[in-house]
Amino acid sequence: MTNDSLVAELCSVLGAEAVLTDADVTAGYSRDQMPLAPSGTPLAVVFPTDVDGVRETVRACAEAAVPVVPRGAGSGICGGANAVDGCVVLVTTKLDRIVEIDPDNRLAVVQPGVVNLDLREAAAKHGLFYPPDPSSYDWCTIGGNLATNAGGLCCVKYGVTTDSVLGLEVVLADGSLLRTGRRTVKGVAGYDLTKLFVGSEGTLGVITQATVALRPLPQAPATLVAAFASAGAAGAAVSGIVREGLVPSLLEIMDATTVKAVEAYLGTELGTGSDSGALLLCQSDAGGALAKRELAAIEQVCADAGAELVHSTDDVAEGNLLMKARRVVHYALEQRGACMTDDVCVPRTRIAELIEGCERISAEVGLTIAVCGHAGDGNMHPTVVYDATAAGEAERARRGFDAILELGLSLGGTVTGEHGIGRFKQDWLAREIGPVGLDVHRRIKQALDPGNLFNPGSMFSPT
Amino acid sequence: MTNDSLVAELCSVLGAEAVLTDADVTAGYSRDQMPLAPSGTPLAVVFPTDVDGVRETVRACAEAAVPVVPRGAGSGICGGANAVDGCVVLVTTKLDRIVEIDPDNRLAVVQPGVVNLDLREAAAKHGLFYPPDPSSYDWCTIGGNLATNAGGLCCVKYGVTTDSVLGLEVVLADGSLLRTGRRTVKGVAGYDLTKLFVGSEGTLGVITQATVALRPLPQAPATLVAAFASAGAAGAAVSGIVREGLVPSLLEIMDATTVKAVEAYLGTELGTGSDSGALLLCQSDAGGALAKRELAAIEQVCADAGAELVHSTDDVAEGNLLMKARRVVHYALEQRGACMTDDVCVPRTRIAELIEGCERISAEVGLTIAVCGHAGDGNMHPTVVYDATAAGEAERARRGFDAILELGLSLGGTVTGEHGIGRFKQDWLAREIGPVGLDVHRRIKQALDPGNLFNPGSMFSPT
C-alpha cells in the first residue's frame, strides 16, 4: 500500500474531516511539551471517534507498515507522543465520553480522550474522587495519564494512575480488541495485563477505554507551610514525617532558588523569611479534628527538625494561596529562561542529598537549577534554567540535566518518577534496568507488537 | 542429560541434603491444599538456600528440558504449585531471610521463603505494617503470596499483595537474573514488570527477592457485628457502606448456613438471633474517636438496611472473639464433610444476588453451600460441602462449584478474586479473558519462557 492509498483508506474509514495531512497543521501534533526530544514529520494525523475507527486505523497502518504514534492532549514532557517521520499520529481526544459512573461500586468507565479534570468533576457530583492529578490536570487526558502512569500531588496518599485502574480495552497491533482486568475491586485471573499496559507509553497498543476505581471525596484540605534554613533541615523533616507514620494528602518541597523565583513572579514575599533554604507545603484532607491533629503532629516534626517558621490554617482560601506558590513554579522559572525539568525519584531519606547535589551541579555547569517536588514520595523535579540563544548553554543544560539523573540513580532512585522515558531518556532507561531488563522489554514488545508498529523507538530500541 | 545425571548435577550444585528423590517423601511436596486439582510425581524436590542455587537449578533443568514447578509453603488452593510428572519442584522456603527493614523509607527487602506472619511481626517492631493477610498468614510464605497476588481480610482498606510490592528479583528461564522495579515510592521507568510477575503463579520465573512497601501500624481495631433477616438486607448494608464513602479496615459477611456451622463448631450461640439470615463483621483501625465515628456511621447504615441487631465494641478481646467466628469458618465446615471452596469476586452491589444464587444452586445439586467472604471488596468464598465417600457427591459438588463460577461471571465478576487459577480453573480463565486475552497470555509466556519450563500447564495451556 502506498502512502497515498493509506491516506485514502483512512479518509474512507474515518471520514476526510478526521484525517489531517497538511504539514503546517500536522506539525502541531508532532511533539509534546519537551522541547529537546526528537520528533519527525507525520504522514497524517487522524482523529477516530470510536473504537472501530481506532481498529481500522491500526489495521490499515499495519498493512501499509506505517508506524502508529498514539497521542492524547500532548501535555507529556518526555517526547513519548512525538511523531516519527512518515507515521500516522492517532489522536484519541475525540474518544471523549464518560461512559458510566457507578457510584454504588465506586467506579467509572471512560474513553481515553476524557480530560482528567472533567472526570474529576463528574465524579465529584457523586461525592467521589479520581485521585491522579498531574499538573496538567485541566487539559491532559486520561489516555495520556494511562500511557505514562501519571502521578501528581496526590500520590503521597493516593498512589499513581495504575493504582486507580481496574481494567482496560486496548487495540492491539493486529487490530484485535483486548479486554483486560475487571469491574471488581479484586481479581487475579491471569497475568495483570492492565498494569502492563499502564505506563507502556503507547508502545504496546492503543487504549480505547478504561475502568477506573473512584474513592470517597476527601474533606477540604487544611494546609501547613514550614520554612527551614537549609535543604538538609527540610529533608530531615520529611524523613521525620515518614518515620512518625504520618500520611498527609500532599507534601511538597521547594528549595531557596524556587522560592525566590516564585516570589519574584507573584510580586510578593511568601512571608517565610527571605533567606530560608527550603520550604515544605503540606495538606491534610482528613477533615476536622483529625486534620488538625495530623497537621499538629507534622508541625511538631518540623519544629524538631529546626523549622524557622511553621504556620497551619484550615482556611481553604488561605490554603489555596499557599498552594498557588507551588502551582506557579513552572511559570515563575520560565520567566528566567528556557527550562529543562527533570523527574527523578529518590528514597525519601535522600531528598536533602539530592537538593544539595543539585547545588553542586548548578555550580559545575554555571546554570541556575531550581528544585521542587513531591517530597512525600521522593519524586523531585529539579529544573535547569538556561538561555537557549546563548552559545553552549543548551549543551551545558543537558549536561546538568544528565548529572541530576546520574545523581538520582546513585542515591538509589529512578530516572523517572512520573513523566516517562519517551524519546528523551532511552539511554537512561537502559542504564537503570540493565541488559536483562532491557532484553525482557524487547521480548514483550516483540511478542505483542512484532512489526514494531506502535511508537517505534520510544522508550527503548526494539533491537 | 538423563534424569539421573540431572539429579546428580542438582546434588552437586545444591548439596545432596537439599535434593529429595524418595517418592514417599516427595509426595508431600507434590500438591497444595486443593484436593481436586491434578498433580504428578516429581523427579526431585530441591531446596536451594540462595539465589545462585535457584539459578543453577533452573539452568540445569532447562538444559535437561525438565519442568520446574516453584513452590512456597504449599498453602495455595488452586493447585498452582502442584507437581507435573517428572518435574523438579523448587521449594523456596529456605530462602527465608528478611534482608532489610528500612523504617525511614517504610520498606522491607525479603526473600520468598519468609513466612507472612514473620514479616508482619518484624515490621511491627518498627511500628510498621505489611498489610496482605491471607487466612494462612501464619504459615504461607511471601513468595507464594507474590505468585498468587494474595489478598486477605485487609484488602478493603489496604489492597492486595501487588499494591505493596515495589520491586522484585526474578530468575528467568535461561537462568539470568532480572531486577524489576525500585526502592522508591514512585517510578515509571519502563514496563511495570513487577506487577506482571506478581500473580503470574510461577509460570514466568522464580522470584528470589522482593522489596515491599510498609505502612504505619494501624490502631487496635474496634469491631461491629450486625445481624440481618436476609442476605438481601446484609447486601444492602454493604452497598450503603460503600455509597456513604466509608472505608472500614475489615468488612466480612457470613450467610445463615455459615453462622449455624460456626455456632455448632464453637458450641456457643453468636448471640445474633438463631434465625438471622446473614451476619456482617466490620472493623475500624482508625483509632479512638475516629474509629467510633466510623463504626457509628456503619451502625446507622446497618440499621437503615433493617439490621435486627447491631453491636459495636472497642474492646480488643471482645473484638477478637467476634473475629474468631469468621476465622474458624473453614474448620467448622470441615466438620460437616469435604469442602470445595470457591473464590468469586463480584461488584459489591451484587453480593446479595450471589448469596441468593448459591441457595438456588445448593437446592439444585442437593448439597450444603455455605457462603462467607470479604464483603467490602465483593470477594466471596462459597463453600460446597459434600461427602467424598458417597457415590456421585464429588461430581455434584464440582457441578455446584462450577455453577457458582458461572453465576459470578454473570454478575459481572471474576472467577478468582485471590486464590488464582492454577491447575484447577484453566477453562474458566479462558472463558473469562476470551480468545484475545488468552492469546496475549500465550505470547507473553512464549516470550519469557519459550521452552515452557516453568509450571507448564498451570493457569493456561501454552498452545
Side-chain angles (χ1 to χ4, degrees), chain A residues 102-107 126 128 148-152 155-156 160 162-163 172 174 176-179 181-193 195-201 203-204 214 216 239 241-247 286-287 289-290 293 343 345-350 374 376-379 381 412-421 429 432-433 436-445 447-450 459-460, chain B residues 102-107 126 128 148-152 155-156 160 162-163 172 174 176-179 181-193 195-201 203-204 214 216 239 241-247 286-287 289-290 293 343 345-350 374 376-379 381 412-421 429 432-433 436-445 447-450 459-460:
Chain A
D102 176 350
D104 289 353
N105 287 301
R106 282 192 206 142
L107 62 83
H126 297 275
L128 294 170
T148 53
N149 192 11
C155 307
V156 57
V160 293
T162 198
D163 298 311
L172 300 176
D174 61 0
S176 62
L177 192 65
L178 171 70
R179 290 194 177 84
R182 48 188 206 278
R183 285 174 68 98
T184 56
V185 181
K186 286 163 76 179
V188 295
Y191 298 153
D192 196 339
L193 300 178
K195 292 185 196 298
L196 177 63
F197 280 94
V198 173
S200 64
E201 300 186 10
T203 63
L204 298 178
L214 304 174
S239 291
I241 291 167
V242 175
R243 197 182 313 116
E244 290 297 314
L246 298 160
V247 184
L290 184 60
R293 213 161 66 222
D343 170 46
C345 191
V346 295
R348 287 167 288 194
T349 46
R350 315 300 291 270
H374 316 305
D377 39 48
N379 188 187
H381 295 308
T414 170
V415 297
T416 175
E418 59 184 7
H419 293 173
I421 297 295
L429 174 69
E432 178 169 330
I433 65 177
V436 177
L438 189 60
D439 181 52
V440 169
H441 275 73
R442 286 173 171 156
R443 283 194 265 161
I444 289 174
K445 169 78 170 172
L448 297 186
D449 180 17
M459 202 186 252
F460 57 92
Chain B
D102 176 350
D104 289 352
N105 287 301
R106 282 192 205 142
L107 63 82
H126 297 274
L128 293 169
T148 54
N149 192 10
C155 307
V156 57
V160 294
T162 197
D163 298 311
L172 299 176
D174 61 0
S176 62
L177 193 64
L178 171 69
R179 289 193 177 83
R182 47 187 207 277
R183 286 173 68 97
T184 55
V185 180
K186 286 164 78 179
V188 295
Y191 300 152
D192 195 340
L193 300 178
K195 293 186 195 295
L196 178 62
F197 279 94
V198 172
S200 63
E201 300 186 11
T203 63
L204 298 177
L214 304 174
S239 291
I241 291 166
V242 175
R243 197 181 314 117
E244 290 296 313
L246 298 160
V247 185
L290 185 59
R293 212 159 68 222
D343 171 44
C345 192
V346 295
R348 288 168 287 194
T349 46
R350 316 300 292 271
H374 315 306
D377 38 49
N379 189 186
H381 295 309
T414 170
V415 298
T416 174
E418 59 183 7
H419 293 172
I421 298 294
L429 174 69
E432 179 170 330
I433 65 177
V436 177
L438 189 60
D439 181 51
V440 169
H441 275 72
R442 286 175 172 154
R443 284 193 265 161
I444 289 174
K445 169 77 170 171
L448 297 186
D449 180 16
M459 202 186 251
F460 58 92

Side-chain angles (χ1 to χ4, degrees), chain B residues 49 94-99 109-114 142 208-210:
Chain B
T49 55
K94 303 229 163 169
L95 287 145
D96 60 354
R97 274 196 313 129
I98 296 177
V99 178
V109 179
V110 295
Q111 292 187 323
V114 171
I142 298 296
T208 51
Q209 189 167 285

Side-chain angles (χ1 to χ4, degrees), chain A residues 73-244:
Chain A
S75 61
I77 35 183
C78 66
N82 282 14
V84 293
D85 280 335
C87 77
V88 168
V89 174
L90 192 165
V91 186
T92 58
T93 51
K94 304 231 163 168
L95 286 144
D96 59 355
R97 275 197 311 130
I98 296 177
V99 178
E100 178 190 357
I101 290 188
D102 176 350
D104 289 353
N105 287 301
R106 282 192 206 142
L107 62 83
V109 179
V110 296
Q111 291 187 323
V114 171
V115 169
N116 181 295
L117 178 60
D118 292 340
L119 174 56
R120 299 169 76 81
E121 290 184 344
K125 284 186 189 146
H126 297 275
L128 294 170
F129 173 50
Y130 177 69
D133 63 344
S135 310
S136 54
Y137 70 97
D138 53 352
W139 69 289
C140 67
T141 61
I142 298 297
N145 295 173
L146 292 164
T148 53
N149 192 11
L153 304 182
C154 72
C155 307
V156 57
K157 185 165 180 179
Y158 298 109
V160 293
T161 296
T162 198
D163 298 311
S164 289
V165 186
L166 298 173
L168 298 173
E169 183 187 89
V170 186
V171 174
L172 300 176
D174 61 0
S176 62
L177 192 65
L178 171 70
R179 290 194 177 84
T180 75
R182 48 188 206 278
R183 285 174 68 98
T184 56
V185 181
K186 286 163 76 179
V188 295
Y191 298 153
D192 196 339
L193 300 178
T194 304
K195 292 185 196 298
L196 177 63
F197 280 94
V198 173
S200 64
E201 300 186 10
T203 63
L204 298 178
V206 183
I207 295 170
T208 52
Q209 189 168 286
T211 303
V212 298
L214 304 174
R215 289 171 174 266
L217 198 61
Q219 304 293 309
T223 307
L224 172 151
V225 59
F228 299 84
S230 67
V238 172
S239 291
I241 291 167
V242 175
R243 197 182 313 116
E244 290 297 314

Side-chain angles (χ1 to χ4, degrees), chain B residues 32-362:
Chain B
D32 66 13
Q33 301 295 303
M34 165 49 81
L36 300 176
S39 67
T41 303
L43 167 68
V45 177
V46 301
F47 297 80
T49 55
D50 59 20
V51 62
D52 287 336
V54 175
R55 297 180 73 177
E56 291 302 329
T57 301
V58 168
R59 277 198 200 108
C61 290
E63 199 189 328
V66 164
V68 175
V69 175
R71 177 189 175 91
S75 62
I77 36 182
C78 66
N82 283 14
V84 292
D85 280 335
C87 77
V88 168
V89 174
L90 191 165
V91 185
T92 58
T93 51
K94 303 229 163 169
L95 287 145
D96 60 354
R97 274 196 313 129
I98 296 177
V99 178
E100 179 190 355
I101 290 188
D102 176 350
D104 289 352
N105 287 301
R106 282 192 205 142
L107 63 82
V109 179
V110 295
Q111 292 187 323
V114 171
V115 169
N116 181 294
L117 179 61
D118 292 341
L119 174 56
R120 300 168 76 81
E121 290 183 344
K125 283 183 191 148
H126 297 274
L128 293 169
F129 174 50
Y130 177 68
D133 63 343
S135 309
S136 53
Y137 70 97
D138 54 352
W139 68 290
C140 66
T141 61
I142 298 296
N145 296 171
L146 292 164
T148 54
N149 192 10
L153 304 183
C154 73
C155 307
V156 57
K157 184 164 180 180
Y158 298 109
V160 294
T161 296
T162 197
D163 298 311
S164 288
V165 185
L166 298 173
L168 297 173
E169 183 187 89
V170 186
V171 174
L172 299 176
D174 61 0
S176 62
L177 193 64
L178 171 69
R179 289 193 177 83
T180 75
R182 47 187 207 277
R183 286 173 68 97
T184 55
V185 180
K186 286 164 78 179
V188 295
Y191 300 152
D192 195 340
L193 300 178
T194 304
K195 293 186 195 295
L196 178 62
F197 279 94
V198 172
S200 63
E201 300 186 11
T203 63
L204 298 177
V206 183
I207 295 170
T208 51
Q209 189 167 285
T211 303
V212 298
L214 304 174
R215 288 172 175 266
L217 198 60
Q219 304 294 308
T223 307
L224 172 151
V225 59
F228 298 84
S230 68
V238 172
S239 291
I241 291 166
V242 175
R243 197 181 314 117
E244 290 296 313
L246 298 160
V247 185
S249 58
L250 176 148
L251 179 55
E252 297 289 310
I253 193 168
M254 296 160 70
D255 75 348
T257 309
T258 306
V259 171
K260 286 198 183 75
V262 165
E263 287 182 334
Y265 179 75
L266 294 176
T268 173
E269 295 212 342
L270 295 179
T272 52
S274 56
D275 58 350
S276 63
L279 220 65
L280 284 185
L281 268 170
C282 183
Q283 290 191 320
S284 168
D285 63 5
L290 185 59
K292 263 199 170 60
R293 212 159 68 222
E294 276 189 6
L295 289 194
I298 290 170
E299 202 166 320
Q300 185 60 52
V301 171
C302 289
D304 292 347
E308 297 180 322
L309 174 151
V310 194
H311 171 65
S312 296
T313 177
D314 57 6
D315 182 275
V316 173
E318 190 185 353
N320 284 345
L321 268 178
L322 287 167
M323 280 306 301
K324 192 177 175 192
R326 169 66 183 90
R327 295 204 183 274
V328 300
V329 165
H330 188 66
Y331 307 105
L333 294 174
E334 280 186 330
Q335 301 295 311
R336 311 207 152 193
C339 290
M340 213 182 288
T341 297
D342 233 316
D343 171 44
V344 288
C345 192
V346 295
R348 288 168 287 194
T349 46
R350 316 300 292 271
I351 291 173
E353 288 166 83
L354 184 83
I355 296 178
E356 287 154 7
C358 284
E359 286 167 18
R360 213 165 44 238
I361 294 166
S362 167

